[in-house]
DNA sequence: CGCCAGGGCCTCA
DNA sequence: TGAGGCCATGGC
C-alpha cells in the first residue's frame, strides 16, 4: 500500500486551514481604543516570547485594570516595578528591559510617523532594539502597524518542514528563507489583502500546531495527513 | 516531576 | 552561521 501524498502550495494550505478552523481574527485584543490596542499588541508581542499565551493574558489584564496601556505611564514605571508586574509571563527582567526600550523607541520616533513607514524600514528599526528578534519585529510590523509582513515562528518551521511545503532540501530552519518564500507567494494579493492573509495564515498555522501538529503530533487525527511528508514517512515505517 | 510555552542574546567553534 | 546554554514562570 502507498499513501496518497499530494504536494501542497502555500495558498492551498491557507485555504485548507481556513476551511477547517475558520477565521481566527488575530491579534487578540481586549480594549476598544485604537491607540491602546496598539500598545496592547506591542506588550503582548514581547511578553509572549517563549511563553504560553494564557500567562500573557493575565499580565495584560493587569495593565488594563490599572489603566496602564499608555506609553508615558509604562515609561514612568521603574524597572523593578515593571518586572514584578509582568513576572507571571516569565523572563521578567529581560522582558521588562525590552519593554522599556521598545516604548522609549515608540515615544522618540512617534507612533504616527512609524505608521507611515514602509515595512522594510520599520522592521529594520525594530531589529535594532535589543530584545526584539526576527519574530517579534515581524509581529510588531504585521499586527501592531498593519504592514505586509509574514511572521515565522517555531510552529511555522515545524509545520512547513513536516509537510515539506517547499521540498525536502529546503532549509526550514532559516527564518529569512521561510519568510521570503511565503511573501513571494503572496504577491498575487493587493497590499490590503496581503496584510489580512499574513495575519490569518500565521494565526491558522499556530492554531493547527497547538491542536494537532504538536512536538509529538497527533497524525492520525490530522486533516492534512494526506498532504504531509512526515505522515507518509510514518506510514511507510508501519507497513 | 518533567516537559514545554505564540524567543532572543551571548559565546564559541 | 549554527548549535547550545541561559533567561523564569506556570500549566498540564
Amino acid at each position: 500500500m502507498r499513501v496518497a501524498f499530494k504536494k501542497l502550495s502555500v495558498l492551498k494550505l491557507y485555504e485548507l486551514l481556513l476551511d477547517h478552523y475558520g477565521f481566527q481574527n488575530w491579534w487578540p485584543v481586549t480594549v476598544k481604543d485604537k491607540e491602546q490596542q496598539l500598545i496592547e499588541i506591542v506588550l503582548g508581542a514581547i511578553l509572549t516570547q517563549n511563553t504560553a499565551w494564557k500567562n500573557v493574558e493575565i499580565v495584560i489584564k493587569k495593565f488594563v485594570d490599572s489603566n496602564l496601556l499608555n506609553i508615558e505611564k509604562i515609561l514612568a514605571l521603574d524597572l523593578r516595578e515593571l518586572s514584578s508586574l509582568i513576572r507571571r509571563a516569565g523572563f521578567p527582567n529581560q522582558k521588562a528591559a525590552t519593554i522599556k526600550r521598545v516604548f522609549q523607541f515608540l515615544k522618540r520616533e512617534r507612533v504616527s510617523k512609524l505608521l507611515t513607514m514602509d515595512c522594510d524600514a520599520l522592521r529594520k528599526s525594530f531589529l535594532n532594539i535589543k530584545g526584539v528578534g526576527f519574530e517579534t519585529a515581524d509581529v510588531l510590523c504585521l499586527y501592531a502597524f498593519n504592514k505586509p509582513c509574514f511572521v515565522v515562528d517555531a510552529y511555522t518551521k515545524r509545520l512547513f518542514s513536516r509537510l515539506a511545503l517547499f521540498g525536502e532540501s529546503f532549509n526550514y530552519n532559516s527564518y529569512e528563507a521561510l519568510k521570503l518564500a511565503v511573501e513571494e507567494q503572496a504577491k498575487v494579493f493587493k497590499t490590503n489583502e496581503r496584510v489580512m492573509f499574513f495575519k490569518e495564515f500565521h494565526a491558522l498555522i499556530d492554531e493547527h500546531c497547538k491542536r494537532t501538529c504538536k512536538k509529538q503530533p497527533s497524525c492520525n487525527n490530522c486533516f492534512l495527513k494526506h498532504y504531509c511528508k512526515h505522515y507518509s514517512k510514518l506510514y511507510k515505517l508501519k507497513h
Side-chain angles (χ1 to χ4, degrees):
Chain A
M1 278 288 282
R2 278 185 52 201
V3 190
F5 173 68
K6 305 177 216 168
K7 203 169 179 322
L8 273 179
S9 68
V10 168
L11 296 184
K12 181 67 179 172
L13 172 61
Y14 174 66
E15 276 182 33
L16 289 171
L17 288 169
L18 189 56
D19 284 348
H20 192 81
Y21 293 113
F23 194 69
Q24 301 294 303
N25 196 25
W26 266 24
W27 189 276
V29 287
T30 62
V31 295
K32 290 187 178 166
D33 178 76
K34 287 286 178 193
E35 281 186 45
Q36 291 190 20
Q37 282 183 354
L38 188 146
I39 293 167
E40 185 177 353
I41 293 167
V42 172
L43 262 181
I46 299 164
L47 291 174
T48 198
Q49 291 173 348
N50 201 39
T51 299
W53 182 252
K54 189 166 281 186
N55 295 322
V56 176
E57 279 182 318
I58 294 167
V59 173
I60 287 181
K61 185 167 174 13
K62 286 205 268 183
F63 278 80
V64 174
D65 291 346
S66 312
N67 197 23
L68 278 174
L69 289 184
N70 174 287
I71 296 179
E72 297 294 342
K73 287 183 184 172
I74 289 172
L75 288 175
L77 298 169
D78 69 50
L79 223 44
R80 293 187 46 241
E81 283 179 290
L82 185 54
S83 167
S84 111
L85 195 60
I86 66 173
R87 187 177 51 82
R88 290 188 60 109
F91 308 113
N93 298 325
Q94 289 186 162
K95 286 176 182 176
T98 301
I99 288 168
K100 282 281 193 180
R101 285 189 287 264
V102 170
F103 282 97
Q104 270 158 11
F105 171 82
L106 294 183
K107 180 185 177 183
R108 189 176 70 240
E109 300 298 323
R110 300 247 168 244
V111 171
S112 55
K113 191 198 94 184
L114 297 174
L115 281 165
T116 67
M117 287 173 64
D118 70 84
C119 185
D120 285 344
L122 188 60
R123 181 173 195 255
K124 276 177 190 157
S125 55
F126 284 141
L127 285 173
N128 281 329
I129 303 171
K130 185 178 171 186
V132 177
F134 291 135
E135 184 179 340
T136 305
D138 286 339
V139 166
L140 295 178
C141 286
L142 179 61
Y143 293 104
F145 289 86
N146 284 302
K147 304 298 175 186
C149 183
F150 182 65
V151 178
V152 175
D153 60 2
Y155 290 150
T156 312
K157 292 177 180 176
R158 189 160 78 208
L159 177 63
F160 287 12
S161 162
R162 284 182 179 159
L163 291 171
L165 190 62
F166 301 120
E168 290 193 81
S169 57
F170 189 89
N171 179 10
Y172 293 95
N173 212 31
S174 163
Y175 191 100
E176 295 288 333
L178 269 183
K179 175 182 172 65
L180 290 177
V182 173
E183 290 183 350
E184 180 65 29
Q185 300 301 310
K187 286 181 178 170
V188 297
F189 296 115
K190 296 173 185 172
T191 304
N192 280 348
E193 296 173 338
R194 200 177 307 149
V195 171
M196 194 50 73
F197 165 67
F198 288 147
K199 284 185 178 181
E200 271 312 297
F201 194 28
H202 175 68
L204 287 163
I205 290 165
D206 283 21
E207 186 62 19
H208 180 63
C209 287
K210 273 190 237 182
R211 292 202 201 193
T212 307
C213 202
K214 296 168 285 196
K215 256 188 182 170
Q216 296 298 323
S218 318
C219 294
N220 289 331
N221 306 322
C222 182
F223 78 107
L224 291 173
K225 63 185 173 187
H226 295 307
Y227 299 95
C228 185
K229 199 70 189 174
H230 177 75
Y231 179 75
S232 96
K233 283 178 183 169
L234 278 182
Y235 191 91
K236 280 180 193 166
L237 285 177
K238 286 189 195 164
H239 292 80

